[in-house]
Amino acid sequence: MQRNGIHHVTAISGPARRNLDFYARTLGLRLVKKTVNFDDPGTYHLYYGDETGQPGTILTFFPWEHVAPGRLGVGQAETTLLRVPERAIGYWTHRLIEQSVPHEAATSRFGETVLAFQDRDGMRLALVAVPGAEDEPGWSDGAVPSEHAIRGFHGVSLLVADAAPTAAVLTDVLGLAAAGTDGAHQRFRAAGTAIGGIVDLHAAGGFLAGRMGGGSVHHVAFRAADDRAQAEMARKLAQDHGIQATAQQDRNYFRSIYFREPGGVLFEIATDAPGFAVDEPVATLGQALKLPPFLEGHRRTIEAALPPVA
């Protein structure tokens, strides 16, 4: 069965050690893969998620030691939404205070309690209280109790000048459907997909354009069950919307194509297979530096250039 919705979100951060400390220790996500940016192997590519890194839970980062801060604006992902059990919001409010994490008072959007906060680079995130999420498995290594653990993505909010062209791609190509409005936000939902099934469009015509940098989301990736499903999405994108995707690129853990959607956000379509256990056991995910075959011969040079992480 085809599952639509978000596969992963990739962002830019500052120092790798600080990034690891925040996402693995403060937020309690599992580091499921420690590799490098295949296009720039002098920097890490860190993947966080649930126990196995299933699609819809994967938040990834390109960490650069001295990255300049980004600026949020039109053509960017505004907020990355993380789902937690409804009863966990009180726990998370106290935890953010204890960990000195900048956050806002809980509010309501689309009838859901939303607790917005920022990471150490200013990336905008929010915890969304989801009824029934307590019945979904929660991974924990002790930093955050499993009953309060993050259950993957609720969705993403995109800041665009005009929602209509982006909405057309979401519905016609990526398989989402309109699911209501709340003020300036329009919601789109993938049917039958709880984790990572939501995209909100925040229309803000005339707002300043964004600038990529630390704290910015680099791209949002959507799911394709396999190569055939991905190719069909690329065909519809070109035929119906006049947008050409890139050639397929092998990312070891999924295969990807990329395109700039009409609102300016970089989108990826990534296959569900083969997953993160393709080159190491689930029990030891994220512990060793993994390199793709074409970089393995340069391991010593790469390892020498990378900063140490705990």
Side-chain angles (χ1 to χ4, degrees), residues 84-168:
V84 296
E86 193 170 28
R87 291 174 292 187
I89 283 292
Y91 167 86
W92 279 105
T93 301
H94 287 292
R95 183 161 182 80
L96 296 180
I97 293 170
E98 291 169 354
Q99 299 290 320
S100 300
V101 177
H103 64 283
E104 302 172 11
T107 187
S108 178
R109 181 170 293 160
F110 290 100
E112 301 163 335
T113 300
V114 178
L115 178 60
F117 64 102
Q118 295 183 14
D119 75 0
R120 304 306 185 197
D121 292 290
M123 180 177 170
R124 293 162 61 101
L125 303 123
L127 297 165
V128 181
V130 180
E134 64 273 10
D135 297 326
E136 302 164 4
W139 184 85
S140 175
D141 68 350
V144 174
S146 59
E147 63 267 27
H148 301 308
I150 291 167
R151 264 60 171 184
F153 295 120
H154 193 54
V156 294
S157 175
L158 309 180
L159 188 62
V160 294
D162 179 6
T166 302

Side-chain angles (χ1 to χ4, degrees), residues 172-194:
D172 183 48
V173 178
L174 299 175
L176 283 73
T181 62
D182 187 335
H185 291 80
Q186 299 179 40
R187 173 154 289 186
F188 297 82
R189 187 186 299 272
T193 301

